[in-house]
Amino acid sequence: MIKDLRRFVNQLSEREAKKILLQTMIRLEMIQESNELPKQMIDDLHSWYKGILTLSRNNRNVEIEYKAVHIVCGESPAGSLRVGLGRENKVIGFPDFFAVGPILELHKIFQQEN
């Protein structure tokens, strides 16, 4: 059970984890301020917990295999390509226009990151 919970938490994106943490904190604050019986509070938290697990298992992102990856200068052209090419192609839009000149010493920067 604990291993499953660890696996579940490790698969969460940062955004999902923050949402769940915030909702948990809000839920606990509401329980503390309410006049519910302890048994009702525990039942409520447990059902909420089960709901999160069920939703996250059903909404897991699936990796998509793309036919091609297109790199475009500018977000507007990238958006147009996404609409025109459809979901079977990955389009990456850079906000800079790289045709103006070379990217100086890119190989050195890349080596430093590795």
Side-chain angles (χ1 to χ4, degrees):
M1 177 72 170
I2 299 294
K3 286 182 182 181
D4 291 339
L5 288 174
R6 281 185 194 274
R7 191 175 309 118
F8 165 72
V9 170
N10 286 333
Q11 291 175 350
L12 291 173
S13 69
E14 182 179 347
R15 185 173 182 222
E16 289 172 325
K18 285 182 177 182
K19 280 183 179 181
I20 290 173
L21 177 60
L22 177 64
Q23 290 298 321
T24 302
M25 293 171 76
I26 290 170
R27 196 91 164 177
L28 288 171
E29 186 68 28
M30 288 173 51
I31 287 172
Q32 189 176 15
E33 292 174 357
S34 74
N35 294 326
E36 289 184 54
L37 297 173
K39 172 78 171 125
Q40 289 173 322
M41 291 181 207
I42 292 171
D43 290 345
D44 183 44
L45 273 176
H46 197 266
S47 68
W48 183 74
Y49 162 78
K50 283 183 176 179
I52 289 174
L53 289 179
T54 303
L55 284 175
S56 66
R57 286 181 185 139
N58 294 338
N59 292 332
R60 287 288 9 131
N61 292 336
V62 178
E63 272 192 44
I64 300 171
E65 266 192 52
Y66 296 105
K67 286 184 177 178
V69 176
H70 304 273
I71 300 174
V72 183
C73 293
E75 290 299 320
S76 181
S80 298
L81 266 180
R82 282 184 192 105
V83 170
L85 294 175
R87 293 181 176 248
E88 63 273 357
N89 292 279
K90 174 75 173 173
V91 178
I92 300 171
F94 284 102
D96 289 331
F97 188 62
F98 297 130
V100 174
I103 303 172
L104 293 177
E105 300 180 4
L106 180 64
H107 65 287
K108 290 182 183 177
I109 295 170
F110 187 71
Q111 287 174 348
Q112 288 174 357
E113 290 177 0
N114 292 334

